[in-house]
């Protein structure tokens, strides 16, 4: 019913906001929303939130560790 749909949407928005702020991971986001990781990533995209939260410097440092 409508109350469950509203609660699900609210959990989704909460998870997206917390992910965008770096407070939850791609693993924790789906737990909050009760969805799959793929569905959570789709939700991030729908809200125009970058899936990759690492900065270019962090990626370069990670690559350098393996060179």
């Amino acid at each position: 019913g409508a109350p469950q749909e509203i609660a699900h949407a609210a959990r989704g928005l909460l998870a997206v906001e917390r992910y965008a702020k770096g407070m939850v991971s791609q693993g924790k986001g789906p737990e909050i929303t009760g969805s799959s990781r793929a569905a959570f990533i789709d939700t991030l995209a729908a809200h125009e939130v970058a899936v990759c939260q690492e900065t270019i410097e962090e990626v370069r440092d990670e690559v350098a560790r393996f060179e």
Side-chain angles (χ1 to χ4, degrees):
Q4 291 85 4
E5 292 172 14
I6 292 169
H8 180 74
R11 284 192 305 273
L13 291 174
L14 176 68
V16 167
E17 180 181 345
R18 288 187 175 173
Y19 181 82
K21 292 180 178 180
M23 298 169 65
V24 300
S25 66
Q26 284 184 20
K28 187 67 175 173
E31 288 179 29
I32 295 169
T33 62
S35 65
S36 68
R37 184 173 179 200
F40 182 63
I41 290 171
D42 287 344
T43 301
L44 293 174
H47 291 279
E48 299 181 357
V49 174
V51 174
C52 179
Q53 296 292 310
E54 295 178 309
T55 66
I56 191 67
E57 292 81 19
E58 290 171 328
V59 172
R60 286 183 181 145
D61 290 345
E62 190 70 20
V63 170
R65 289 187 334 136
F66 292 99
E67 293 182 331

